Amino acid sequence: MEAKVFASSQPILSLRGISKYFGGVHALEDVDFDVYPQEIVALVGDNGAGKSTLVKIIAGVHRPTKGHIFFQGQPVEIHSPHDAQALGIEIVYQELALIETRDVPANFFLGREPVKGRLGIFVDRRKMVEDTVRTLRELGIELPYLRSPVRYLSGGQRQALAIGRVMPWGGKIIIMDEPTAALGVKESRRVLDLILRLKEKGCSVIVISHNMRHVFNVADRIVVLRGGRKVGDKKKSETTPDEIVKLIVGADML
Amino acid sequence: MRYVEPGLVLRFARNQLAALLVILGGMVLLLSLLTSTFLTANNIFNVLRAFSWIAIASFGQSIVIIGGGIDLSAGSNMAFAGIITAMLLLAGYSVVFSILVGLLITLGIGLLNGLMVSKTKLPPFIATLGTMSIVRGFCYGMTQGWPVRNLPRSFMFLGQTDIWRVPLPAIIMIGLAVFCAILLEKTKLGYHVYAVGGNEYAASLVGINTGRVKTIAFTLSGLFAGIGGLLMTARLGVAAPTAAQGYELDIIAAAVIGGISLTGGEGSVWGALIGAAIMQILRNALVLMGFPAYWQPAAIGAVIIGAVMIDMYRKRKV
Amino acid sequence: MKGKQWIVVGLVVLLVWGCVIGVSAAEKKKLTFAWIPKALNNPVFELGRDGAFAKAKELSETTDYIVEVLYVGSVASDAAEQVRVVEDVIARGVDGIGISCNDPDALVDVINKAVDAGIPVMTWDADAPQSKRFTYLGVSNYDGGKAAAELLIRYMGEKGKVALLTGVPGAFNLEERIRGFKDVIKNYPEIEIVTTVACYDDINLGVQVVEETMQAYPDLTGWFFVGLWPLFAERGSMPLWEEAAKSGRVKTVAFDTLPVELEYLKEGLLVGLVGQKYWGWGYDTIQMLFDYVVNKKEFPYWTDSGMDIVTIHNVDAMIEAWEKKDFTKPLPPPFPEE
Ligand SMILES: Nc1ncnc2c1ncn2[C@@H]1O[C@H](COP(=O)(O)OP(=O)(O)OP(=O)(O)O)[C@@H](O)[C@H]1O
Ligand SMILES: [Mg+2]
């Protein structure tokens, strides 16, 4: 049924038989996962279900214990975050991955600071500041002093910064791990809008959330993980929040 | 959209260096009033020379601490560089060759520290505590406890020459401070050092090779301790196996007084420079004022705590 | 009961057997003495070690015994580590121990253990007075300090301003020297001790504080270096002091009699040295152990090793002794005119 719906397009990203063990912990067990072009996939599941682990495998943070990754049909190995970035995969981590002691531009370009000059080692600070200001302005993110350490920002401001900084890189697949966790109502709405706009621009988005309203608001498809296994993969139009919640907690619980 | 920058007063108050300079200036003013001997060219240049090697070693230490580590082997490295170079000089090798080998060896010890921390994941405190002892053991073993003396004048020149009355070691110190400041504040590597020290996990999530960054930081610390040790050896004309014993604490204290947080990710080389100056001026002042030797450690300890407390208070306030 | 008797019988058999061997083969009996310094990283102890070896060689050549010296110790001064070294020596079994104690109390138990095990122990340089050691060979640092003060007054005169340079404040031997020095100076109301600076046994710091003191007290006339720390540094490291010393404005007396200091003395930068007999630490200790073990000689609780006073008048003899590494000849008097 589903296969027919998406038969017209190839998945941009496919994971096949992915398992990830941390010592004795089986964080993921034989998971298949697809993302299609211009699709918003919601990844849901209880705490510890393996959602973050799955997206970190896509982002090159973890190597899968078993399984294969295909990008546009080609098998790929993603050894590091840089490999993922090179494929056009951008991620907003649940942990935000900000450096508290550094200012906004330094965090904005963390790990890929623009360089100038022939040596290629000197950071182009002016470009960093200008691009940061422009992007934040475009996204409507308000931050106080740009040059203060990030530790002076509020939780929501930090999350906004973490989301904002992946935007300018032209990623094809944007992953957001609980992007609205620390946000107020208005700010959450903005992020959902942003996700929809990204789709319009041609991106695919993987979004992890515990908020069913948010999920049903934006997602085209919902993938459910439980105890490291994939237990559901539903088009939004063919499911209900109730069914998803049942899948999340497991039928045996009801 | 409001991207206001802080006002001048706030920016000044937030500026660690400015605050440190105020402390330093206050000390200088007080001492010039209290003694007739402090503010003489002779004394100032003496102070400059005397703290230059500690300051130079503390630049390397700063890079390590900002990167989230600590290097306890700095004092031993200072002594070892001096001993290697002195022994080669006595064996008849040229000044340039002897110096290069001395520095290469401490650079190698730094590299070893870095690899132990990044590859075998030893805590920096333990890894460098080990090398501190190993290197000191080599100092004793290679000299059998005797200071190495009778070094050629052409080597001692490095430590004893003045250029327009300014001691050469002080000039080298300023040059190295500029080098380190540029490295930390203007280069990609410097940005990554702050990132690794500020939040190592976050740095690894965004793809920074944290192991490489740490290894480079420790290597530089080894090298800079070596440079400091060589200048000290050149100044004294003797390489003692007991030299610079306990200096690692002065070196770390200089960095910490200079506002470099031991938790990493913060601070600047200029801070370490001023921190080293504050320590040395304090020592100098205690002697000039005839402060009893028996009470000096207490005074120095109080100043370390005081300086760091002022810095923390300032951070909390603004 | 039975067991004890067997041991006695065994001992008698051993004794007879030993005599028979001794008489029949006329073979030399071997004696091993452990000579344990405070640390292996201090060069003055090496001189003592050389003295110990020299005496061992001498005894082996002139007596019916082959005397061997076991030179062991902790690398750095560390009482706990030294205790371990003594334990090892006891376990290994030696005929006597001469030790310079890192701590007067920490070593008591292990010294007593050795004595109880039948190994006689004497201390040298640094004592453990509460232990069962049979004697202590050492100098009175207090007297050394007094001698230094008398030397200084002789050259500087009975008035002036004096500064003291010490190592680690609180180190017992240094404090004793200072106490002796001050007790003499007390009798000269026109001599003022203006400051005491410390260098924590560090050459670099020593150079620094001497120069700073020269800076702070331009009218200084005398120095007492309670140890030789800054003198290890090369000429040119202490320009203010050197200049004042060369011109004769400042007279300096220092402790110890190492070659570096002798050079300074010969050039007139130092006026007098008071030194311990490092060589004797080994040379005399081995002799005393030998006398105690072989000749059953009695020793007083404390044996004064005496002190070397070096001035321009006898510095050459001292330099020669260093060059030949032979300190058996007595030093000529420091002031021949008397
Ligand atoms: N680096 C790691 N080392 C060991 N175990 C890990 C590691 N990362 C995750 N785990 C374990 O793997 C399992 C899945 O964790 P994961 O973070 O993927 O859950 P999650 O679905 O994102 O949960 P949450 O909703 O709480 O964020 C958990 O049991 C977790 O303890
Ligand atoms: Mg998670």
Side-chain angles (χ1 to χ4, degrees):
Chain A
M1 200 51 198
E2 273 170 20
K4 246 182 250 162
V5 174
F6 297 105
S8 52
S9 62
Q10 283 288 314
I12 180 168
L13 180 75
S14 289
L15 279 66
R16 285 291 169 269
I18 295 288
S19 298
K20 176 68 187 177
Y21 307 150
F22 294 107
V25 180
H26 290 206
L28 292 173
E29 193 71 69
D30 194 23
V31 172
D32 293 346
F33 183 74
D34 293 308
V35 181
Y36 290 86
Q38 264 198 307
E39 183 196 27
I40 300 174
V41 187
L43 191 54
V44 298
D46 261 340
N47 293 133
K51 308 180 293 294
S52 296
T53 305
L54 185 67
V55 294
K56 278 181 181 166
I57 285 173
I58 299 171
V61 175
H62 296 316
R63 306 288 309 280
T65 311
K66 288 182 210 157
H68 300 281
I69 304 174
F70 301 88
F71 189 82
Q72 293 174 334
Q74 298 299 311
V76 287
E77 301 235 350
I78 307 178
H79 293 271
S80 76
H82 289 309
D83 289 351
Q85 286 164 1
L87 293 173
I89 299 169
E90 294 290 333
I91 178 165
V92 180
Y93 291 104
Q94 187 175 9
E95 304 89 337
L96 302 186
L98 296 176
I99 312 295
E100 301 258 304
T101 54
R102 297 293 270 166
D103 66 3
V104 173
N107 272 289
F108 202 87
F109 283 91
L110 190 63
R112 36 185 163 176
E113 297 79 2
V115 288
K116 63 181 178 193
R118 227 178 294 152
L119 287 173
I121 57 168
F122 292 108
V123 167
D124 189 346
R125 173 76 189 182
R126 175 184 293 187
K127 179 176 161 52
M128 283 173 68
V129 174
E130 283 170 359
D131 286 8
T132 306
V133 170
R134 180 157 23 81
T135 310
L136 293 181
R137 205 165 271 172
E138 278 167 16
L139 294 172
I141 297 171
E142 293 183 20
L143 297 180
Y145 312 135
L146 222 51
R147 284 183 198 169
S148 301
V150 163
R151 73 160 153 256
Y152 294 120
L153 299 183
S154 76
Q157 288 168 334
R158 286 178 217 197
Q159 192 142 32
L161 170 60
I163 295 169
R165 74 172 170 189
V166 305
M167 294 307 148
W169 299 97
K172 281 262 147 300
I173 301 173
I174 315 282
I175 304 169
M176 297 193 192
D177 195 345
E178 304 201 21
T180 56
L183 297 185
V185 177
K186 194 179 87 193
E187 288 79 6
S188 296
R189 190 62 249 165
R190 273 224 194 105
V191 170
L192 299 181
D193 288 345
L194 174 65
I195 291 172
L196 292 171
R197 259 189 289 141
L198 284 168
K199 177 185 170 182
E200 272 165 37
K201 279 196 337 197
C203 299
S204 306
V205 181
I206 303 170
V207 57
I208 297 175
S209 179
H210 291 289
N211 186 320
M212 281 307 130
R213 289 244 316 276
H214 292 171
V215 168
F216 274 81
N217 235 311
V218 296
D220 298 313
R221 193 156 52 87
I222 300 162
V223 173
V224 186
L225 291 181
R226 171 155 33 93
R229 290 179 181 277
K230 187 165 89 171
V231 293
D233 193 338
K234 307 275 180 190
K235 268 193 73 179
K236 180 173 72 180
S237 50
E238 292 162 4
T239 185
T240 63
D242 257 8
E243 188 192 11
I244 296 297
V245 170
K246 274 182 196 149
L247 286 170
I248 289 172
V249 298
D252 43 326
M253 303 280 291
L254 296 176
Chain B
M1 215 54 36
R2 295 159 292 139
Y3 291 111
V4 240
E5 289 306 324
L8 204 63
V9 176
L10 188 58
R11 242 157 66 197
F12 185 78
R14 274 197 183 167
N15 191 326
Q16 207 149 31
L17 290 180
L20 283 166
L21 279 172
V22 169
I23 297 178
L24 188 68
M27 282 178 75
V28 169
L29 193 71
L30 195 69
L31 286 169
S32 341
L33 294 177
L34 285 178
T35 72
S36 57
T37 40
F38 178 76
L39 210 60
T40 57
N42 227 333
N43 191 51
I44 296 296
F45 289 133
N46 250 342
V47 168
L48 266 177
R49 192 199 316 266
F51 87 86
S52 59
W53 34 85
I54 295 277
I56 289 170
S58 83
F59 299 159
Q61 184 75 245
S62 300
I63 298 174
V64 168
I65 297 180
I66 290 171
I70 194 152
D71 185 359
L72 297 178
S73 66
S76 296
N77 275 334
M78 282 179 75
F80 199 47
I83 285 172
I84 295 281
T85 302
M87 291 182 111
L88 289 174
L89 286 169
L90 288 194
Y93 290 97
S94 75
V95 171
V96 174
F97 177 81
S98 307
I99 288 177
L100 280 181
V101 174
L103 292 182
L104 222 76
I105 285 186
T106 51
L107 181 133
I109 296 166
L111 178 68
L112 197 76
N113 281 333
L115 291 176
M116 279 196 286
V117 168
S118 61
K119 295 276 183 255
T120 64
K121 311 282 179 210
L122 274 180
F125 191 94
I126 301 301
T128 60
L129 187 71
T131 37
M132 169 175 110
S133 189
I134 293 170
V135 172
R136 186 62 70 182
F138 271 84
C139 290
Y140 287 134
M142 291 176 58
T143 59
Q144 288 301 302
W146 285 96
V148 184
R149 299 182 77 252
N150 302 318
L151 306 179
R153 282 270 148 204
S154 50
F155 171 68
M156 287 166 60
F157 161 87
L158 274 176
Q160 298 195 345
T161 324
D162 298 340
I163 297 174
W164 298 306
R165 298 205 64 195
V166 184
L168 186 58
I171 295 170
I172 295 176
M173 167 184 80
I174 299 294
L176 292 175
V178 171
F179 171 83
C180 287
I182 290 175
L183 182 84
L184 274 175
E185 283 157 35
K186 306 280 182 216
T187 71
K188 206 162 163 131
L189 175 66
Y191 272 68
H192 291 180
V193 170
Y194 281 101
V196 170
N199 184 343
E200 187 180 347
Y201 185 56
S204 70
L205 284 182
V206 300
I208 293 173
N209 187 340
T210 57
R212 182 175 147 264
V213 170
K214 287 198 259 184
T215 307
I216 293 176
F218 277 99
T219 307
L220 286 174
S221 180
L223 174 67
F224 278 81
I227 297 174
L230 280 187
L231 289 174
M232 181 174 85
T233 308
R235 153 75 170 160
L236 300 174
V238 54
T242 52
Q245 203 141 30
Y247 281 23
E248 51 280 343
L249 294 184
D250 277 12
I251 292 164
I252 293 167
V256 172
I257 291 176
I260 294 173
S261 153
L262 278 178
T263 50
E266 265 181 302
S268 78
V269 167
W270 300 113
L273 179 64
I274 299 173
I278 288 177
M279 291 271 287
Q280 186 56 39
I281 288 178
L282 177 71
R283 284 237 161 82
N284 178 254
L286 292 174
V287 174
L288 292 187
M289 298 194 308
F291 194 84
Y294 296 78
W295 289 98
Q296 278 189 19
I300 291 170
V303 165
I304 293 178
I305 291 177
V308 175
M309 255 166 50
I310 291 174
D311 190 45
M312 286 172 63
Y313 176 78
R314 187 188 52 75
K315 251 190 227 163
R316 227 178 304 135
K317 269 292 204 203
V318 290
Chain C
M1 273 300 147
K2 272 261 153 63
K4 258 192 189 154
Q5 280 164 7
W6 273 115
I7 289 176
V8 172
V9 172
L11 278 178
V12 170
V13 169
L14 262 177
L15 208 72
V16 172
W17 183 65
C19 290
V20 168
I21 295 241
V23 173
S24 64
E27 207 169 80
K28 283 192 164 190
K29 193 167 178 291
K30 209 168 115 180
L31 283 177
T32 305
F33 297 127
W35 191 82
I36 308 173
K38 277 185 189 160
L40 299 180
N41 66 20
N42 189 333
V44 298
F45 292 128
E46 280 180 36
L47 199 63
R49 176 200 61 190
D50 292 346
F53 285 146
K55 174 57 80 181
K57 187 158 168 261
E58 198 182 301
L59 288 171
S60 302
E61 281 164 6
T62 57
T63 67
D64 293 337
Y65 291 86
I66 304 245
V67 178
E68 268 188 4
V69 171
L70 181 66
Y71 171 65
V72 285
S74 54
V75 172
S77 300
D78 178 346
E81 188 59 21
Q82 203 180 20
V83 167
R84 198 190 55 69
V85 169
V86 179
E87 300 263 11
D88 288 349
V89 167
I90 296 171
R92 189 183 184 278
V94 291
D95 300 293
I97 295 175
I99 181 170
S100 167
C101 302
N102 272 308
D103 185 285
D105 300 320
L107 272 296
V108 169
D109 284 346
V110 75
I111 288 176
N112 290 349
K113 184 177 164 189
V115 174
D116 293 342
I119 302 172
V121 179
M122 67 170 281
T123 52
W124 51 270
D125 169 41
D127 195 12
Q130 310 294 323
S131 70
K132 295 187 193 165
R133 93 279 186 289
F134 67 86
T135 190
Y136 163 57
L137 171 74
V139 287
S140 154
N141 278 297
Y142 176 80
D143 289 341
K146 278 169 82 169
E150 277 150 15
L151 265 176
L152 184 63
I153 288 163
R154 210 176 242 274
Y155 283 98
M156 184 186 78
E158 298 189 355
K159 64 178 190 187
K161 293 191 171 173
V162 178
L164 270 60
L165 170 71
T166 185
V168 181
F172 183 70
N173 55 344
L174 304 182
E175 294 302 338
E176 279 292 289
R177 293 172 195 172
I178 293 174
R179 195 166 65 86
F181 186 85
K182 285 185 173 168
D183 277 357
V184 172
I185 297 293
K186 259 204 299 234
N187 304 323
Y188 297 86
E190 287 188 83
I191 298 181
E192 186 196 352
I193 295 180
V194 290
T195 188
T196 300
V197 288
C199 73
Y200 296 86
D201 293 358
D202 184 76
I203 299 173
N204 174 37
L205 219 52
V207 165
Q208 256 173 57
V209 292
V210 167
E211 283 299 279
E212 283 165 358
T213 307
M214 295 304 295
Q215 191 97 238
Y217 304 96
D219 50 352
L220 203 71
T221 55
W223 264 110
F224 174 33
F225 292 168
V226 188
L228 75 163
W229 313 281
L231 299 174
F232 269 121
E234 206 48 77
R235 303 292 189 287
S237 315
M238 298 188 287
L240 294 177
W241 175 80
E242 276 171 40
E243 201 241 317
K246 211 169 268 169
S247 72
R249 263 190 297 128
V250 167
K251 311 282 188 209
T252 306
V253 170
F255 234 87
D256 296 323
T257 52
L258 262 57
V260 256
E261 298 174 283
L262 301 175
E263 285 169 33
Y264 274 106
L265 184 71
K266 209 156 158 60
E267 284 177 39
L269 294 174
L270 297 174
V271 296
L273 296 172
V274 178
Q276 308 194 48
K277 303 189 175 208
Y278 312 115
W279 168 269
W281 283 344
Y283 191 76
D284 296 340
T285 295
I286 299 301
Q287 178 70 54
M288 288 161 80
L289 283 169
F290 184 82
D291 285 344
Y292 188 84
V293 171
V294 175
N295 304 333
K296 305 283 178 270
K297 190 174 161 189
E298 299 269 334
F299 284 92
Y301 183 74
W302 185 71
T303 312
D304 190 354
S305 64
M307 222 158 341
D308 288 329
I309 308 257
V310 181
T311 65
I312 194 70
H313 303 293
N314 58 359
V315 63
D316 288 326
M318 196 68 181
I319 291 174
E320 197 189 317
W322 271 97
E323 273 165 5
K324 294 190 178 149
K325 286 270 152 70
D326 178 6
F327 295 79
T328 42
K329 256 191 281 170
L331 208 59
F335 300 105
E337 64 269 27
E338 283 157 29

